[in-house]
Amino acid sequence: MTAAVEIAGITKRFGEVVAVDNIDLQIDDGEFFAMLGPSGCGKTTTLRMIAGLEFPTEGSLKIFGNEVGTLPPNKRPVNTVFQNYALFPHMSVRDNVSFGLRMQGTTKSEANRRAGELIELVQLTGLESRKPGQLSGGQQQRVALARALVNKPKVLLLDEPLGALDLKLRQEMQNELKSLQRELGVSFVFVTHDQEEALTMSDRIAVMDKGKLLQVGTAEELYERPLNRFVADFIGQTNLLDATVADDDMIVLGNGTKIKAPNPHSPGTKVAMSLRPEAIEIGRRGDVPADHVATSLNGVVSAMNYLGHSLVYQVKIDWIDLEVRTDPVASEDRLGPGDDVSIWWDRTADWVVPDE
Amino acid sequence: MSIIEQTVDEPIDGLVATPEFEAANEAQQRRRGFLMALPAFAYLILFFAVPLVIVIVYSFATRNRFGGTDLNGWNLESYRGLGDDLVRQILVRSVVLAAITTVICLLIAYPFAYYMSTRRPAVRNLMLVGVMIPFWTNFLVRNYAWYVILGTDGPFSQVTEFVGIGETRLLFTQTAVVMGLVYGFLPFMILPLYAAIERIDGRLLEASRDLYANGFQSFRHVLLPLSMPGVIAGSILVFIPSLGAYVTPEILGGAKTTLLGSYIVTQFLSARNMPFGASLSTVLMIVMLTATLVYFRKGGRTL
């Protein structure tokens, strides 16, 4: 099967600045694909290159097998939902939505008919004659969707489409976008800096930082098996402990403690061990089960917070503060600040990543 | 207009303003605003409104045999003179030249303003200064410069001769007048166009390209309609002074191509027919006023 989008060795430089640094990426047909990273990581530039709004400095970019490297945007079978929507303020909702069809030479009546269908699909029937300025943020965002989808793009590109909406509306739109994508079966390529958004909506996620593609995978893969420190830190919450590899089964933490941690790295490699807060068990000093001694540490509780569905402890281990999340227990069984404790985890719970 | 609307004081949160307090406050603000505008008002009334009224009054008066004006026996005689063939010829010629000037200015200024608005701020400011530099020199002097440039054996002619087009005699032609007018009023086209284009969100153009518009369609359906306020403002700012231009046609057009401005001056100074000159002026003003009103009706806000 040909990939919807195939990026090979793409680099984009703006003068001295390298916005996108030699990335390879494949986006499958019908996939909900997210590009995730902090602002300035190159995700939007990558999206704009797929759209044709920027041309790559180097590398190859194919859409359904056709090289589109320097093809202008109007010659590509993709459409974009822009950040802040970029609706044409001087046109009605109907004219905004039918714009793409009219530019391709579809007759006015046919264009209007199909625009009407899309307007119905995004539930804006009745607002056809309004100008974008007379619509709420959520409605504008639906117009932007309809305006792009009316052209039946082979790939739909979305640049932080939910960024301008308030939380409740955002969650609503997340679900709608997801079901729309399933219904249409078109690949959605979605740029966001919100990891939760990416995790909930996407089939696969590409994590980018400083122009580099760090990892591509499902939400589960990224969360449980991050390839490096940045991904481990960026996806979900985690505790990162600096360490050095002793052998393929043992690492030495910063304070000299030896911890059993299977890893593929060569001895002496600087690594970080990622421990998710919910993967750590906590108990009074010495309560460590015998089979977990090799994966345990001693510490002192410095704070405890009750969050309803969980308890969060801050535990001071010598040189570092760790966050530990447990199920809520009766108040007399809770540990308090100052208590000497041990923490331990399953041997499969930790994950060692190269420290870079 | 919109500036005034935006600066209306918003009540500060937490301070409870009683209706009486608000009313008193507003009245005080209004008084203070009036006092500050008083010098400008006085100046405008004295040196603009009063002369305007005099012109209008004179247009209904009668020229006496000695070239003076009798301020009695009001009549429409001077307005009847507008139907005169010569006058009509001058009127048409003036309107045509002003229209040509406006169109040429628009064609030159639009790409320039677009280019300018897409540059980075430092370059932009440099270009803006470039547009303004001619204003540092007296308008009359600049027109005489064109007189020299276009004159027989002047630099322009030398260049055309050099590139093989042959000697050109442009001075004292309508072409020379249009060239001078375009040169003189181009900044008035560039500035409002720049202000209008610069305000347009560049992503709208990207969006249009993404939605299958080619470069021309993108211009035709997005850039042009959104920059229309600038187009209209610039056109009015060029058309109106071109229509009544006096200095440029006088210097570059010679006697053969009398335009409205020169003709009005002639009525006042040489023909000593003040009522007729006044009626011409009044008609010219009405035309300009109508054009301006049309502009504001169209919703332009950039003047």
Side-chain angles (χ1 to χ4, degrees):
Chain A
M1 192 180 72
T2 15
V5 179
E6 192 180 342
I7 290 173
I10 285 273
T11 295
K12 176 67 184 179
R13 282 186 216 99
F14 295 103
E16 297 283 289
V17 185
V18 184
V20 173
D21 193 357
N22 190 23
I23 68 170
D24 297 289
L25 193 59
Q26 273 207 13
I27 298 166
D28 295 333
D29 193 13
E31 177 174 45
F32 202 121
F33 191 89
M35 290 200 274
L36 176 66
S39 59
C41 71
K43 57 191 193 297
T44 296
T45 305
T46 307
L47 193 82
R48 288 171 60 83
M49 284 193 283
I50 301 174
L53 298 169
E54 308 283 356
F55 295 143
T57 316
E58 282 164 32
S60 138
L61 204 163
K62 287 181 183 160
I63 296 175
F64 284 96
N66 298 320
E67 180 66 45
V68 294
T70 54
L71 226 51
N74 52 324
K75 301 257 167 74
R76 299 182 183 211
V78 301
N79 290 107
T80 309
V81 174
F82 285 81
Q83 194 173 12
N84 300 338
Y85 323 131
L87 300 176
F88 305 123
H90 58 301
M91 293 182 201
S92 67
V93 167
R94 184 186 292 111
D95 288 348
N96 261 287
V97 175
S98 66
F99 188 88
L101 297 174
R102 286 186 283 128
M103 291 306 110
Q104 292 175 95
T106 312
T107 60
K108 182 118 189 161
S109 62
E110 171 68 5
N112 279 345
R113 192 185 61 74
R114 279 172 58 190
E117 285 173 13
L118 262 290
I119 290 169
E120 197 183 324
L121 180 72
V122 297
Q123 298 160 35
L124 286 177
T125 312
L127 301 179
E128 290 91 342
S129 308
R130 296 255 188 109
K131 295 273 172 70
Q134 299 167 302
L135 301 176
S136 70
Q139 290 168 335
Q140 291 185 23
Q141 128 88 193
R142 285 156 195 270
V143 177
L145 257 177
R147 185 177 71 169
L149 287 174
V150 77
N151 307 294
K152 301 206 169 102
K154 289 185 170 172
V155 181
L156 182 72
L157 309 173
L158 304 103
D159 187 5
E160 304 255 6
L162 308 179
L165 304 178
D166 61 55
L167 185 66
K168 194 164 156 17
L169 203 54
R170 194 153 67 218
Q171 285 166 345
E172 242 174 74
M173 283 308 295
Q174 282 179 7
N175 292 330
E176 270 185 52
L177 273 181
K178 184 76 196 156
S179 59
L180 197 62
Q181 189 265 339
R182 269 198 217 111
E183 201 178 311
L184 298 170
V186 172
S187 334
F188 278 28
V189 182
F190 183 96
V191 157
T192 181
H193 64 271
D194 182 339
Q195 49 114 350
E196 210 172 295
E197 203 166 276
L199 291 180
T200 39
M201 298 175 74
S202 327
D203 298 321
R204 283 194 309 150
I205 302 165
V207 182
M208 293 185 69
D209 184 42
K210 293 177 187 142
K212 290 207 162 65
L213 183 64
L214 298 182
Q215 188 172 0
V216 184
T218 63
E220 217 173 316
E221 283 165 1
L222 294 182
Y223 191 81
E224 287 174 8
R225 296 185 293 283
L227 283 181
N228 53 51
R229 189 185 177 114
F230 182 87
V231 175
D233 202 23
F234 198 72
I235 306 286
Q237 265 185 311
T238 196
N239 299 295
L240 287 169
L241 293 85
D242 294 319
T244 311
V245 173
D247 56 48
D248 62 358
D249 203 33
M250 193 73 79
I251 60 172
V252 183
L253 294 184
N255 67 341
T257 316
K258 284 190 172 176
I259 297 283
K260 209 166 169 59
N263 69 82
H265 308 291
S266 52
T269 312
K270 292 259 180 239
V271 292
M273 179 174 67
S274 166
L275 273 177
R276 299 285 177 189
E278 68 275 11
I280 307 175
E281 306 281 340
I282 187 167
R284 298 203 178 275
R285 181 74 52 89
D287 281 359
V288 185
D291 53 345
H292 281 80
V293 173
T295 54
S296 72
L297 287 165
N298 291 331
V300 180
V301 175
S302 54
M304 191 279 293
N305 289 307
Y306 175 73
L307 296 184
H309 53 80
S310 60
L311 293 175
V312 175
Y313 294 99
Q314 297 295 328
V315 181
K316 185 150 186 62
I317 312 280
D318 237 2
W319 78 108
I320 191 173
D321 272 324
L322 295 188
E323 192 174 300
V324 179
R325 198 179 280 260
T326 69
D327 290 336
V329 292
S331 52
E332 59 269 24
D333 296 334
R334 288 177 203 160
L335 300 158
D339 288 353
D340 288 330
V341 294
S342 291
I343 58 164
W344 64 92
W345 57 93
D346 281 343
R347 215 165 279 178
T348 51
D350 64 73
W351 186 255
V352 177
V353 291
D355 184 25
E356 30 182 323
Chain B
M1 296 194 308
S2 58
I3 294 171
I4 295 167
E5 279 159 22
Q6 279 161 11
T7 50
V8 168
D9 283 3
E10 298 280 339
I12 299 162
D13 280 341
L15 279 181
V16 182
T18 63
E20 302 85 57
F21 174 77
E22 262 185 7
N25 194 27
E26 227 168 78
Q28 194 195 345
Q29 289 230 345
R30 229 174 290 145
R31 257 197 315 277
R32 199 185 303 155
F34 178 74
L35 277 177
M36 286 199 274
L38 201 55
F41 274 135
Y43 190 90
L44 279 175
I45 288 170
L46 209 61
F47 297 110
F48 178 70
V50 170
L52 195 66
V53 171
I54 292 176
V55 168
I56 293 171
V57 167
Y58 264 57
S59 72
F60 295 108
T62 314
R63 172 184 188 259
N64 64 27
R65 297 189 287 139
F66 313 108
T69 306
D70 291 339
L71 290 175
N72 51 38
W74 307 111
N75 60 71
L76 291 171
E77 195 52 44
S78 58
Y79 283 94
R80 226 157 272 150
L82 297 172
D84 188 78
D85 267 352
L86 176 68
V87 177
R88 204 178 304 154
Q89 216 176 15
I90 291 172
L91 209 65
V92 168
R93 185 190 297 147
S94 301
V95 169
V96 168
L97 282 194
I100 292 173
T101 303
T102 308
V103 169
I104 294 176
C105 278
L106 196 56
L107 291 179
I108 298 175
Y110 204 103
F112 184 83
Y114 179 74
Y115 180 80
M116 189 155 75
S117 70
T118 53
R119 294 309 98 183
R120 52 177 215 277
V123 179
R124 252 185 234 194
N125 291 338
L126 210 66
M127 291 177 79
L128 269 177
V129 171
V131 171
M132 309 284 228
I133 277 179
F135 289 121
W136 298 352
T137 311
N138 182 288
F139 188 59
L140 200 61
V141 173
R142 285 187 283 141
N143 273 283
Y144 273 112
W146 275 92
Y147 179 90
V148 173
I149 291 170
L150 296 179
T152 322
D153 282 338
F156 189 82
S157 184
Q158 284 172 9
V159 169
T160 53
E161 205 173 345
F162 180 76
V163 297
I165 303 171
E167 202 183 26
T168 43
R169 293 174 187 278
L170 283 176
L171 195 60
F172 306 140
T173 63
Q174 296 195 1
T175 312
V177 175
V178 170
M179 286 172 89
L181 289 176
V182 167
Y183 161 78
F185 298 132
L186 191 60
F188 297 113
M189 185 64 92
I190 291 176
L191 294 178
L193 272 179
Y194 166 71
I197 294 173
E198 193 255 353
R199 213 176 334 182
I200 297 172
D201 184 350
R203 275 173 316 183
L204 295 176
L205 299 175
E206 290 187 342
S208 69
R209 298 304 308 274
D210 183 64
L211 294 163
Y212 307 109
N214 58 34
F216 176 73
Q217 286 172 317
S218 181
F219 165 75
R220 161 86 183 67
H221 295 284
V222 179
L223 187 61
L224 187 60
L226 287 176
S227 59
M228 218 48 201
V231 172
I232 295 172
S235 298
I236 288 175
L237 287 179
V238 171
F239 184 78
I240 289 178
S242 297
L243 191 56
Y246 172 65
V247 173
T248 306
E250 216 29 38
I251 294 172
L252 300 177
K256 282 174 285 180
T257 52
T258 308
L259 293 184
L260 211 45
S262 319
Y263 191 62
I264 291 172
V265 171
T266 313
Q267 293 313 309
F268 277 103
L269 299 183
S270 321
R272 302 208 48 86
N273 190 345
M274 291 204 193
F276 189 45
S279 68
L280 280 169
S281 305
T282 308
V283 168
L284 195 57
M285 267 188 296
I286 290 170
V287 170
M288 292 169 178
L289 199 65
T290 316
T292 315
L293 282 179
V294 166
Y295 163 68
F296 278 115
R297 269 282 185 75
K298 284 246 171 188
R301 285 169 300 270
T302 46
L303 258 182

